[in-house]
């Protein structure tokens, strides 16, 4: 005889319609009934007392744990059953309560009971899971959490539980019927958010916040909490897979490439964290099937079917017996496709010369997927052929062909020799310094194309600089995999292109691979770039001599000239490439990028660079690159607020670009990411956001520790002082870098930060005073005064203050006094040089009204017409440089007709202003009167394009 006392405890409010059904399910098994009522206005209490229960009253305070803990404290039984009023033991199992408890071991502290949620309105079972509903009455039992409360023993999570078979005990729950879920979910969110505000751990509520927001249709918030929940990994709670299921279900409906990628990622995470769950493996099989990864899909569907047999896990499995025939049918289909896919043959090809540092790694990489390897050695004088022979001996079952040929200054010729030997259905043609990050995925990705007509696969690649800590230079896609068919060959002596029947990839059936085929290329590292550039230029010029269409070569000529330091010729060829009818697939933005780099080397004005930037944005509005360059150009022009907007846009676009499964356009932004952060930091500092500026400088130095603009910009925030926090941050960054203190001392010494230089070179901070270096102290003081003078001048132009005016240099005093109608001591006509020097300060710090007044000074400086025209153009140029095109135009148009100053530069500048003001027809007229440089020709084209588009 099982002689123990059993208590059942409830908390309830207005549950008269449910409570009797629950009590009936336990009345013959329990010895004590306890209810904590939180304010019922119906018959709940009366019904409970009629069953012999004890009732305690507690005012509801938006906290479920509080009344539950009172109920626990009132229970006197050896075991406690914990139920809600809408929960009852099933008719089939309720008689087993005492028998189950009698079988519990002495180590068991609690029992997990199978719960089935029913929709009260339809009677349909919604889901089932295990929950802790019976506990041993041991010291320290308590609930924590304002809502979705959890049982603890003292401060520790509840432990020592045992799972009860659903055949022995099952609880039916009707509390989340469709008709009342809206009200409950709104209440639950309110309570959970209040609990978090009061200091409860937010992660305690991630799963439930996801479910409640999802039920209310707020998927943005629901997905946020689900992702936060899943990021923690599998939790030691019952039904821990809920957030995983929610994410999988949501993204299964998203048919975009990004949605499919996320769906796959969440399924892979679920399979990893819940390897015992058959339905996750079935879902994974479907994902792999849709991607054409049939061998992997076959493995997963077989595993799902195996796990389904007699599944009895703690986590609920949502696969029903009715689904098994459908799974068996899918398994047969996948097996057929996997067999067909396995019959694909792949040839891996490369041409090499003196590649002893790369060849063995390349061979290991391609051997993972290749049925045969074909190498054309064009005259190696190092150990390349020795390594090839060694690898062949070590892999006797792998077919290998080594062609030894004489180099003909023609890459296509050498590659076509390999193609002639290849027998595979597909060709993977890479260089020895290009390797797949996950070569084991190559065969499956190619296999996805077995039922299509794909001829070329574009492969994602990153140029990695081995000489710069393996930093990524840029990312792009290139044709590296293609179906072997008649007419397949390469064309072009250098920068050769695969063709089929004379057609290039942009005219072939081409697909873009996702990141499963990601490759790394080290062939354009800094240390070898120049030598390759000279070789490439020589071959390109030979191609031109042989009659190759030069329009197809402008891009490659520009790259070669730039690498060789001939920036003027690089810019010229880049602009021609931009205008060319031939645009290389996936690289349309490269020449805009190179043109900007060349312009920076040649000290072009911000106006000229901005035209190229805007062209890049128009061409590729979703690429982050040109928004970043726009921010840097705006910063250079002193437009700090606008620059910050551009940098924010670039960062948002970059995040989106990185999330994309497939990249159809190359991005170069990572090559200057450290400079982006440095420029961003400078703009934030100049606009008063020093804390945010520090974060950007820190990010820049994490990428490249010796970014001087970031080091000096950060020092400016602290006025070059050795502030404790600043020094601590620097020392944390450079702690593991050899000789960093000496290098920091040198950088700060050269850039005018003697205190910092002294600190890092271990010179006393007060050495200037100790050495009585008065000239250095004076120079430093003058530097600080020069920094504050522009702001002071503008403030006094805006609002007169006689005491502060006395601090100004004489000519600035004259300008301030003249503007305010005060007596002046001197001639205003002598003040033009100071006037123009402080024009930028007025534009940066003054109001538009002040700028108009300041421009009015121009009527008083000149003593003759020629000098007046010269001053007019100088100020117009200053306005234009600072993107004040409207005001600049007004001054330019004051130049008299027929003036000798109306030269080619004048017409070009007016054209620039009109273009920026979107007056394209007028701009075109002025550009046509200017000297026809390449930059002017580009603007003429852009004006005509804008006019054709109705602008």
């Amino acid at each position: 005889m099982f002689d123990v006392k059993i208590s059942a405890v409830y908390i309830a409010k207005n549950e008269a319609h449910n409570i009797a059904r629950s009590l009936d399910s336990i009345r013959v098994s329990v010895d004590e009934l306890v209810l904590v009522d939180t304010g019922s206005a119906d018959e709940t209490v009366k019904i409970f007392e009629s069953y012999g229960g004890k009732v305690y009253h507690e005012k509801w305070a938006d906290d479920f744990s509080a009344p539950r803990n009172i109920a626990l404290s009132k229970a006197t039984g050896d075991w406690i059953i914990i139920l809600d009023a809408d929960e009852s033991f099933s008719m089939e199992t309720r008689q087993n309560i005492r028998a189950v408890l009698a079988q519990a071991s002495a180590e068991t502290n609690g029992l997990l009971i199978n719960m089935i949620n029913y929709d009260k309105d339809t009677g349909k079972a919604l889901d089932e899971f295990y929950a802790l509903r019976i506990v041993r009455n041991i010291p320290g039992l308590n609930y924590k959490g304002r809502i979705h409360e959890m049982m603890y023993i003292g401060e520790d999570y509840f432990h020592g539980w045992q799972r009860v078979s659903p055949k022995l005990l099952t609880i039916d729950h009707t509390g989340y019927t469709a008709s009342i879920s809206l009200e409950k979910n709104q209440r639950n969110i309110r309570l959970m958010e209040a609990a978090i505000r009061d200091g409860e751990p937010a992660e305690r509520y991630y799963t439930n916040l996801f479910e409640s927001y999802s039920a209310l249709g707020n998927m943005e918030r629901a997905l946020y909490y689900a992702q936060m929940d899943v990021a923690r990994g599998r939790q030691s709670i019952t039904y821990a897979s809920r957030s995983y299921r929610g994410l999988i279900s949501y993204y299964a409906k998203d048919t975009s490439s990004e949605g499919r990628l996320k769906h796959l990622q969440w399924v892979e995470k679920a399979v990893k964290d819940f390897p015992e769950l058959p339905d996750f493996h079935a879902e994974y099989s479907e994902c792999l099937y849709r991607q054409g990864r049939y061998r992997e899909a076959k493995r997963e569907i077989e595993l799902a079917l195996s796990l389904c047999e007699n599944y009895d896990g703690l986590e609920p499995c949502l696969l029903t017996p009715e689904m098994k025939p459908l799974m068996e049918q899918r398994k047969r289909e996948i097996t057929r496709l996997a067999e067909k896919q396995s019959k694909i043959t792949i040839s891996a090809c490369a041409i090499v010369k003196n590649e002893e540092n790369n060849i063995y790694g390349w061979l290991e990489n391609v051997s993972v997927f290749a049925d045969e390897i074909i190498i054309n050695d064009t005259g190696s004088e190092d150990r390349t052929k020795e390594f090839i022979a060694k690898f062949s001996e070590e892999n006797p079952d792998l077919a290998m062909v080594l062609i030894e040929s004489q180099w003909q200054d023609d890459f296509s010729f050498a590659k076509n020799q390999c193609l002639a030997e290849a027998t595979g259905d597909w060709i993977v043609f890479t260089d020895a310094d290009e390797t797949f990050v996950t070569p084991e995925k190559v065969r499956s990705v190619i296999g996805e194309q077995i039922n299509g007509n794909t001829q070329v696969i574009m492969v994602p690649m990153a140029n990695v600089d081995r000489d710069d800590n393996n930093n990524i230079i840029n990312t792009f896609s290139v044709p590296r995999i293609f179906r072997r068919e008649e007419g397949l060959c390469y064309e072009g002596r250098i920068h050769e292109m695969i063709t089929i029947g004379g057609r290039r990839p942009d005219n072939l059936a081409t697909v873009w691979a996702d990141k499963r085929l990601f490759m790394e290329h080290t062939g354009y590292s800094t240390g070898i770039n120049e030598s390759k550039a000279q070789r490439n230029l020589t071959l390109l010029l030979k191609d031109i001599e042989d009659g190759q269409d030069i329009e197809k070569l402008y891009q490659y000529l520009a790259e070669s000239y730039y690498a060789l330091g001939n920036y003027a010729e690089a810019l010229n060829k880049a602009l021609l490439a931009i205008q060319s009818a031939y645009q290389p697939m996936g690289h349309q933005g490269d020449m805009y990028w190179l043109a900007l780099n060349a312009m920076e080397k040649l000290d072009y004005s911000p106006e000229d660079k901005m035209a190229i930037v805007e062209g890049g944005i128009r061409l590729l509005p979703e690429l982050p690159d040109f928004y970043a360059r726009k921010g840097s150009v705006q910063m250079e022009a002193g437009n700090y607020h606008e620059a910050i907007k551009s940098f924010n846009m670039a960062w948002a676009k970059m995040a989106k670009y990185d999330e994309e499964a497939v990249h159809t356009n190359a991005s170069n932004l990572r090559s200057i990411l450290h400079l982006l952060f440095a420029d961003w930091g400078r703009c934030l500092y100049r606009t008063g956001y020093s804390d945010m500026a520090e974060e950007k400088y820190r990010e820049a130095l994490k990428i490249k520790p010796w970014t001087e603009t970031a080091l000096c910009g950060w020092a400016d925030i602290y006025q070059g002082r050795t502030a404790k926090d600043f020094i601590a941050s620097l020392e944390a960054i450079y702690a593991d870098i050899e000789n960093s203190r000496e290098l920091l001392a040198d950088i700060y010494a050269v850039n005018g930060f003697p205190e910092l230089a002294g600190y890092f070179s271990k010179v006393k901070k007060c050495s200037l005073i100790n050495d009585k270096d008065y000239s250095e102290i004076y120079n430093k003081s003058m530097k600080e005064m020069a920094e504050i003078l522009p702001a002071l001048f503008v403030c006094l132009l805006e609002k007169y203050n006689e005491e502060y005016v006395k601090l100004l240099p004489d000519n600035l005093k004259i300008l301030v006094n003249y503007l305010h109608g005060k007596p002046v001591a001197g001639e205003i006509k002598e003040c033009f040089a100071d006037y123009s020097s402080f024009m930028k300060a007025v534009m940066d710090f003054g109001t538009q009204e002040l700028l108009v007044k300041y421009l009015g000074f121009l009527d008083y400086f000149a003593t003759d017409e020629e000098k007046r025209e010269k001053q007019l153009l100088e100020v117009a140029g200053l306005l234009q440089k600072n993107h004040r095109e409207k005001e600049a135009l007004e001054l330019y148009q004051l130049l008299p007709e027929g003036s000798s100053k109306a030269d080619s530069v004048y017409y070009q500048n007016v054209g620039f202003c009109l273009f920026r003001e979107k007056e394209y027809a007028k701009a075109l007229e002025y550009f046509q009167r200017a000297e026809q440089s390449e930059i002017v020709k580009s603007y003429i084209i852009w004006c005509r394009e804008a006019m054709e588009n109705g602008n």
Side-chain angles (χ1 to χ4, degrees):
M1 180 72 178
F2 183 61
D3 188 19
V4 297
K5 183 177 181 180
I6 302 174
S7 301
V9 299
Y10 292 80
I11 67 169
K13 179 180 180 179
N14 296 329
E15 291 285 357
H17 55 296
N18 286 319
I19 194 73
R21 183 173 61 254
S22 180
L23 291 168
D24 285 339
S25 75
I26 60 172
R27 65 187 306 174
V28 299
S29 301
V30 302
D31 305 294
E32 180 181 49
L33 295 172
V34 175
L35 167 67
V36 176
D37 186 86
T38 59
S40 294
D42 61 3
E43 300 292 311
T44 300
V45 171
K46 183 177 180 181
I47 294 171
F48 197 87
E49 288 177 334
S50 71
Y51 281 77
K54 303 173 186 176
V55 178
Y56 302 89
H57 297 276
E58 177 74 10
K59 185 178 180 181
W60 176 244
D62 283 350
D63 186 339
F64 281 88
S65 286
R68 286 209 187 277
N69 287 330
I70 294 173
L72 289 176
S73 71
K74 301 300 181 182
T76 62
D78 301 298
W79 289 89
I80 304 173
I81 298 174
I82 305 152
L83 291 176
D84 287 342
D86 52 10
E87 296 173 352
S88 56
F89 284 90
S90 67
M91 291 290 296
E92 298 79 9
T93 66
R94 61 182 58 176
Q95 71 278 3
N96 298 328
I97 294 175
R98 282 191 168 269
V100 168
L101 290 177
Q103 296 171 7
S105 67
E107 295 78 22
T108 300
N109 291 326
L111 301 178
L112 297 177
I113 311 299
N114 187 59
M115 307 275 295
I116 302 178
N117 282 330
Y118 287 95
D119 189 322
K120 184 179 179 181
D121 298 329
T122 64
K124 180 180 178 182
L126 301 174
D127 62 0
E128 57 182 293
F129 57 95
Y130 284 93
L132 186 65
R133 282 293 184 265
I134 304 179
V135 296
R136 196 184 294 273
N137 195 354
I138 57 178
L141 283 181
N142 72 100
Y143 279 97
K144 296 184 188 299
R146 185 180 296 231
I147 186 171
H148 298 297
E149 59 281 5
M150 295 179 64
M151 177 76 78
Y152 284 70
I153 301 175
E155 294 300 316
D156 297 326
Y157 286 112
F158 191 92
H159 53 83
W161 45 260
Q162 176 184 329
R163 183 160 52 94
V164 178
S165 169
K167 294 178 181 178
L168 294 175
L169 286 180
T170 293
I171 295 175
D172 298 334
H173 177 217
T174 60
Y176 283 87
T177 62
S179 61
I180 60 175
S181 62
L182 176 64
E183 178 185 346
K184 278 201 172 184
N185 279 298
Q186 289 173 333
R187 177 206 68 185
N188 292 353
I189 288 173
R190 176 175 58 81
L191 293 181
M192 285 186 281
E193 291 181 343
I196 294 169
R197 285 195 302 271
D198 289 346
E200 288 190 41
E203 57 268 23
R204 180 181 290 168
Y205 296 107
Y206 285 159
T207 302
N208 302 110
L209 282 166
F210 152 67
E211 290 184 326
S212 291
Y213 274 115
S214 181
L216 296 177
N218 187 342
M219 293 311 300
E220 181 179 355
R221 297 296 293 166
L223 293 174
Y224 168 78
Y225 285 113
Q227 290 168 14
M228 294 290 285
D229 191 20
V230 170
R232 298 185 298 158
R234 182 172 183 168
Q235 299 298 297
S236 299
I237 58 173
T238 59
Y239 209 171
S241 61
R242 285 176 289 167
S243 290
Y244 294 77
R245 295 183 185 281
L247 289 167
I248 290 169
S249 175
Y250 178 83
Y251 284 107
K253 301 168 189 173
D254 187 342
T255 58
S256 68
S257 59
E258 183 179 346
R260 287 176 178 173
L261 176 62
K262 287 188 175 181
H263 180 228
L264 174 63
Q265 290 171 340
W266 293 124
V267 172
E268 288 177 332
K269 173 72 170 167
V271 167
K272 178 182 177 183
D273 290 353
F274 297 87
E276 80 282 9
L277 269 179
D279 38 341
F280 281 162
H281 288 282
E283 186 79 19
Y284 192 25
S285 177
E286 283 299 297
C287 289
L288 296 167
Y289 170 80
R290 286 193 293 270
Q291 289 195 340
R293 297 161 65 179
Y294 302 122
R295 287 189 297 178
E296 296 167 88
K298 179 174 178 289
R299 178 198 68 213
E300 291 299 320
I301 194 69
E302 288 175 345
L303 183 55
L305 285 164
S306 173
L307 291 171
C308 261
E309 295 293 332
N310 302 315
Y311 177 77
D312 188 30
L314 179 61
E315 285 291 319
C317 172
L318 304 188
L319 294 177
T320 64
E322 293 77 21
M323 295 178 183
K324 187 173 180 180
L326 297 174
M327 292 170 66
E328 292 285 0
Q329 180 182 344
R330 178 66 94 191
K331 175 188 169 184
R332 291 191 291 272
E333 180 183 357
I334 292 172
T335 300
R336 178 181 61 80
L337 291 169
E339 290 173 354
K340 185 177 180 181
Q341 189 180 72
S342 67
K343 295 176 182 178
I344 292 172
T345 56
I346 301 173
S347 301
C349 301
I351 63 171
V352 299
K353 183 178 181 180
N354 298 331
E355 290 285 0
E356 66 179 9
N357 293 327
N358 295 312
I359 189 62
Y360 205 87
W362 179 84
L363 286 165
E364 289 183 324
N365 192 257
V366 299
S367 67
V368 174
F369 58 81
D371 298 289
E372 67 175 5
I373 298 175
I374 301 163
I375 302 172
N376 188 355
D377 188 290
T378 61
S380 292
E381 298 173 346
D382 61 0
R383 301 178 66 190
T384 298
K385 287 184 283 187
E386 177 187 333
F387 289 144
I388 294 171
K390 180 176 182 290
F391 186 86
S392 181
E393 290 174 7
E394 294 170 346
N395 298 272
D397 297 330
L398 180 59
M400 290 185 64
V401 176
L402 174 62
I403 305 167
E404 297 186 56
S405 65
Q406 185 175 353
W407 177 240
Q408 304 290 324
D409 281 348
D410 189 329
F411 281 89
S412 287
F413 180 82
K415 287 191 170 183
N416 288 334
Q417 287 179 297
C418 288
L419 293 181
E421 298 289 336
T423 62
D425 301 315
W426 287 83
I427 311 289
V428 178
F429 215 128
T430 60
D431 293 341
D433 52 13
E434 298 174 349
T435 52
F436 291 95
V437 174
T438 53
E440 67 276 7
K441 296 182 179 179
V442 172
R443 179 172 288 275
S444 63
V445 174
I446 292 175
E448 295 169 16
Q449 312 304 321
I450 59 177
N451 292 325
N453 62 347
T454 299
Q455 295 171 293
V456 178
I457 299 177
M458 300 290 288
V459 175
M461 184 179 291
N463 277 329
V464 178
D465 194 339
R466 282 183 175 171
D467 301 326
D468 187 18
N469 199 32
N470 287 326
N471 278 320
I472 292 176
I473 301 170
N474 55 1
T475 55
F476 50 95
S477 292
V478 285
R480 287 293 185 267
I481 303 175
F482 29 89
R483 195 188 297 268
R484 188 173 67 87
E485 56 184 275
E486 187 176 349
L488 179 72
C489 69
Y490 280 95
E491 293 182 357
R493 190 185 299 269
I494 181 71
H495 295 295
E496 63 284 356
M497 183 62 69
I498 192 67
T499 65
I500 299 177
R503 292 177 296 145
R504 291 175 170 247
D506 50 349
N507 289 313
L508 296 171
T510 300
V511 299
W512 301 74
D514 59 34
K515 294 175 183 178
R516 288 176 292 159
L517 291 194
F518 194 81
M519 299 190 76
E520 291 183 344
H521 175 219
T522 59
Y524 280 85
S525 298
T526 308
I528 57 179
N529 204 3
E530 186 172 339
S531 60
K532 281 198 172 185
Q534 187 60 63
R535 176 202 69 184
N536 293 354
L537 181 60
T538 300
L539 295 179
L540 287 167
L541 295 175
K542 283 184 180 180
D543 264 346
I544 295 171
E545 289 177 9
D546 293 345
Q548 174 77 283
D549 184 355
I550 194 171
E551 281 208 5
K552 295 179 180 179
L553 303 180
Y554 282 141
Q555 173 185 356
Y556 307 122
L557 287 166
E559 290 171 346
S560 297
Y561 282 122
Y562 187 88
L564 294 169
N566 189 342
Y567 303 120
E569 194 59 35
L571 177 59
N572 178 46
K573 293 300 186 287
L575 293 173
L576 289 170
I578 288 170
Q579 299 166 33
S580 170
Y582 173 73
Q583 295 295 319
M585 186 164 60
H587 292 267
Q588 291 91 328
D590 285 3
M591 288 299 97
Y592 288 87
W593 187 268
L594 189 143
L596 287 167
N597 291 344
M599 284 177 155
E600 288 184 351
K601 297 289 187 181
L602 297 167
D603 293 325
Y604 269 68
S605 69
E607 291 79 15
D608 291 337
K609 287 185 281 191
M610 186 59 78
I612 300 296
V613 166
E614 295 290 2
I617 290 175
R618 284 196 300 273
L619 178 69
L620 300 166
E622 295 307 313
L623 200 67
D625 299 36
F626 298 108
Y627 297 96
R629 298 302 289 263
K630 183 175 184 178
S632 294
V633 173
Q634 289 168 325
M635 183 207 71
E636 184 183 352
N639 298 325
Y640 302 116
H641 289 286
E642 293 303 313
I644 291 170
K645 293 178 184 177
S646 296
F647 289 135
N648 279 318
M649 177 66 76
W651 194 242
K653 297 279 185 182
M654 185 175 178
K656 187 175 180 181
Y657 182 88
D658 287 344
E659 287 179 358
E660 291 174 352
V662 175
H663 294 154
T664 56
N665 277 294
S667 172
N668 296 284
L669 182 53
R670 290 197 178 277
S671 64
I672 63 159
L673 201 55
H674 58 298
L675 299 177
L676 178 151
F677 281 120
D679 289 351
W680 199 347
R682 180 181 174 188
C683 293
L684 288 166
Y685 171 57
R686 295 299 294 268
T687 52
Y689 297 97
S690 295
D691 289 346
M692 295 171 66
E694 287 196 68
E695 287 304 313
K696 302 307 177 189
Y697 289 139
R698 185 179 284 107
E699 289 297 324
L701 296 175
K702 283 180 183 177
I703 299 168
K704 286 200 175 182
W706 303 114
T707 306
E708 285 196 26
T709 50
L711 278 167
C712 296
W714 202 349
D716 277 332
I717 294 176
Y718 292 93
Q719 291 81 47
R721 309 294 188 196
T722 53
K724 181 180 178 181
D725 291 344
F726 177 41
I727 293 298
S729 296
L730 288 179
E731 290 182 336
I733 292 171
Y734 295 96
D736 298 324
I737 300 178
E738 191 175 353
N739 298 322
S740 60
R741 294 184 68 89
E742 291 83 351
L743 290 169
L744 286 169
D746 290 344
I747 289 171
Y748 282 129
V750 169
N751 287 281
F753 296 98
E755 185 173 326
L756 287 165
Y759 175 85
F760 286 108
S761 60
K762 300 180 181 177
V763 174
K764 291 183 179 179
K765 300 176 188 177
C766 57
S767 60
L768 294 177
I769 297 174
N770 291 341
D771 298 340
K772 302 298 186 288
D773 193 345
Y774 299 119
S775 61
E776 185 63 28
I777 294 172
Y778 175 80
N779 290 335
K780 187 172 179 61
S781 300
M782 289 301 101
K783 178 185 176 184
E784 293 178 356
M785 288 180 64
E787 289 176 353
I788 198 172
L789 186 59
L792 176 62
F793 175 62
V794 174
C795 286
L796 292 170
L797 286 173
E798 294 272 12
K799 185 176 181 180
Y800 190 81
N801 185 299
E802 185 175 356
E803 292 303 314
Y804 285 107
V805 171
K806 293 177 182 178
L807 300 175
L808 296 175
D810 289 342
N811 283 351
L812 295 186
K813 286 180 188 175
I814 292 173
L815 291 171
V816 170
N817 284 326
Y818 201 93
L819 184 72
H820 290 288
K822 306 292 183 180
V824 296
E827 294 287 339
I828 192 169
K829 64 184 179 182
E830 303 295 332
C831 299
F832 179 75
D834 294 284
Y835 167 86
S836 61
S837 295
F838 283 81
M839 172 63 75
K840 186 174 186 307
V842 174
M843 287 185 281
D844 285 348
F845 305 124
T847 62
Q848 180 65 24
E849 181 183 0
L850 177 61
L851 178 59
V852 172
K853 291 179 181 179
Y854 199 71
L855 291 174
F857 276 127
L858 280 172
D859 294 332
Y860 304 108
F861 295 125
T863 55
D864 57 61
E865 186 59 27
E866 182 179 356
K867 183 177 286 188
R868 177 179 177 276
E869 291 177 11
K870 182 180 178 181
Q871 293 175 348
L872 201 69
L873 293 178
E874 181 179 335
V875 174
L878 291 171
L879 291 164
Q880 182 180 348
K881 184 176 181 180
N882 286 275
H883 297 284
R884 299 278 188 161
E885 284 84 4
K886 183 178 180 181
E887 291 84 356
L889 272 174
E890 292 175 359
L891 295 187
Y892 280 132
Q893 290 168 354
L894 292 176
L895 196 70
E897 188 71 29
S899 169
S900 61
K901 297 288 190 298
D903 54 11
S904 178
V905 173
Y906 166 80
Y907 289 116
Q908 178 176 298
N909 285 338
V910 177
F912 286 148
C913 290
L914 290 166
F915 185 87
R916 293 302 299 269
E917 290 294 298
K918 299 184 179 181
E919 297 186 36
Y920 301 115
K922 289 182 181 179
L924 181 60
E925 293 177 16
Y926 278 89
F927 283 133
Q928 288 172 333
R929 297 173 72 178
E931 182 181 338
Q932 296 301 291
S933 63
E934 292 302 331
I935 189 71
V936 169
K937 289 178 183 177
S938 297
Y939 271 100
I940 289 173
I941 292 171
W942 294 332
C943 285
R944 287 172 175 160
E945 287 177 351
M947 292 164 66
E948 289 171 3
N949 293 330
N951 294 320

